Amino acid sequence: AGQAAVQAKACARRPASLISWQSQRATGAANRRGRTMAARRKAREARRQRRTRCCRWCCIRLAVVALGSVFSSVLLVLSHMESVQHGKSFAVSHAGSVHHAKKEPEVFERKQKPVTSLLRGAVEKDDDRPPRHATGERYVPPESVEVKHDLPSLQEIVSTLRNFLDEVHRAFGRAKRKTREEVWAAYVAVAETHLLPFEKRVHRTKRPVRSDGSIFVSIAAYRDHMLANTLTELFTHASKPELVIAGVVQQNCVVKCKTGVQVVSKPGEPVRTKVSDAPADADGVADFCASAVGQPHCRAGRVRVLRVNETESLGPAFARYLASKLWLCGQVFLQ
């Protein structure tokens, strides 16, 4: 009690300025502690936000990788299923009604064989059938078939190609709803029977290339209503039309023709399309040869034509192959 009384007297004797300074000091220390705590809380919040952003970005990347893996797995499974089910039948687009009266080529069935069996394996032979295409080797005609060694004429070339297309059309008609191997075997059988001897004959009896400045123009026309105009422009604008030769593969529709896909909707409306009946395609070569410009060129044999029904067309590359057979060794080949 005595000590407390002494201290109380001492405090009473202190000046007011000293008491004010001590209180200000205590207040400043409290403020500094508050600011320090606020800065620490702000730093902790910033670190927490950085961790959250980092975790979020990692999760997004992991999700993208997982989705990509799932998509790749689905594609792999689908491709595997397609390869397993390759033996199922499929529609052949140009295998339509067959009205030819010629003998149909053999369509050799290959059951329980992979697709590569047409390129690898042993050459098989049936009792009364010629060797069929089961390897990468070329088909060898029977000894009884004589390969000619003379130069084929233009009429013979057109007839050979026409017979080949007829037989291919018949083979595809028989191979409708068959497997891919059977369709391919049917085409190879016809090609080796009709085209291979012809190609051997052409290569053995090569014509000498002309040196008169003649130009052979290859034209593969598919239902082209401007073919007559093309031929007219070709011979009209030539400085020496007597040196121009046109080889035309005309692929037209003759009966039961259809238009292409027609857009019947108006602008701003949902797109609506239809396919309508159409008349037979115009014979552009005949129209050109009937004109005053085309008559002299057609009579002189400067327009060579192979007519193909559009149901027998095998695409633009094969049409250009057919047109190349009408060349007959002009000095310049233009395609």
Side-chain angles (χ1 to χ4, degrees):
Q3 291 178 356
V6 173
Q7 289 179 358
K9 290 180 180 180
C11 290
R13 288 195 297 267
R14 288 179 182 177
S17 59
L18 180 60
I19 296 174
S20 175
W21 175 80
Q22 290 180 348
S23 63
Q24 290 177 0
R25 183 179 178 183
T27 303
N31 292 338
R32 285 193 296 273
R33 285 195 298 272
R35 286 195 297 269
T36 303
M37 294 298 295
R40 290 178 179 176
R41 285 195 298 271
K42 189 174 181 179
R44 284 196 299 269
E45 185 66 24
R47 289 195 296 271
R48 188 181 302 109
Q49 291 179 359
R50 286 197 296 270
R51 287 195 298 267
T52 303
R53 286 196 299 268
C54 183
C55 293
R56 188 180 304 167
W57 175 244
C58 293
C59 292
I60 292 175
R61 294 190 63 180
L62 289 175
V64 171
V65 172
L67 289 176
S69 302
V70 171
F71 184 70
S72 302
S73 302
V74 170
L75 289 181
L76 183 62
V77 170
L78 291 178
S79 62
H80 178 69
M81 292 175 62
E82 183 180 0
S83 63
V84 170
Q85 298 177 358
H86 73 274
K88 291 187 177 181
S89 60
F90 68 100
V92 181
S93 61
H94 48 275
S97 60
V98 179
H99 57 277
H100 304 284
K102 298 181 181 180
K103 184 179 178 181
E104 299 176 357
E106 292 290 341
V107 178
F108 305 113
E109 297 183 356
R110 300 182 61 80
K111 298 181 179 179
Q112 298 180 355
K113 292 287 184 179
V115 177
T116 54
S117 64
L118 293 173
L119 303 178
R120 298 195 297 267
V123 178
E124 303 177 8
K125 183 176 180 181
D126 296 329
D127 297 335
D128 54 349
R129 297 175 182 174
R132 58 187 176 185
H133 184 89
T135 66
E137 301 176 0
R138 285 290 187 179
Y139 168 77
V140 180
E143 295 181 359
S144 58
V145 178
E146 182 181 357
V147 179
K148 299 180 180 181
H149 298 278
D150 56 333
L151 294 173
S153 63
L154 178 62
Q155 291 77 13
E156 191 174 358
I157 291 173
V158 172
S159 176
T160 301
L161 298 178
R162 180 67 263 172
N163 292 336
F164 166 73
L165 291 173
D166 292 344
E167 294 296 340
V168 168
H169 187 70
R170 291 173 60 82
F172 283 166
R174 292 191 61 186
K176 192 176 183 180
R177 296 188 178 88
K178 296 290 185 177
T179 62
R180 295 170 182 156
E181 297 95 307
E182 293 169 330
V183 174
W184 174 247
Y187 175 81
V188 171
V190 177
E192 292 180 338
T193 303
H194 293 270
L195 280 187
L196 186 58
F198 170 73
E199 288 288 349
K200 287 184 176 181
R201 179 183 175 188
V202 170
H203 284 282
R204 288 176 181 176
T205 59
K206 290 184 178 180
R207 289 182 171 86
V209 178
R210 296 161 59 178
S211 59
D212 54 356
S214 58
I215 301 176
F216 176 83
V217 182
S218 169
I219 301 176
Y222 181 81
R223 304 189 67 178
D224 188 0
H225 65 283
M226 299 293 290
L227 178 58
N229 183 71
T230 300
L231 294 173
T232 302
E233 294 291 320
L234 172 65
F235 285 95
T236 301
H237 290 83
S239 59
K240 296 181 179 180
E242 66 276 4
L243 296 179
V244 176
I245 302 171
V248 183
V249 176
Q250 184 174 254
Q251 306 163 92
N252 278 359
C253 178
V254 181
V255 294
K256 297 182 180 179
C257 301
K258 298 287 186 180
T259 63
V261 178
Q262 298 173 320
V263 178
V264 297
S265 58
K266 297 181 179 180
E269 296 180 353
V271 178
R272 291 180 290 108
T273 59
K274 71 172 183 178
V275 177
S276 307
D277 296 333
D281 298 328
D283 192 329
V285 176
D287 294 342
F288 172 73
C289 292
S291 65
V293 177
Q295 283 183 1
H297 301 294
C298 294
R299 290 174 182 173
R302 300 189 189 103
V303 179
R304 304 164 185 170
V305 59
L306 173 64
R307 290 180 170 86
V308 181
N309 195 309
E310 60 102 10
T311 58
E312 300 173 351
S313 176
L314 298 177
F318 194 82
R320 295 198 179 280
Y321 162 78
L322 297 176
S324 69
K325 296 307 171 184
L326 307 176
W327 172 41
L328 300 184
C329 297
Q331 184 174 0
V332 179
F333 188 103
L334 177 62
Q335 178 171 285

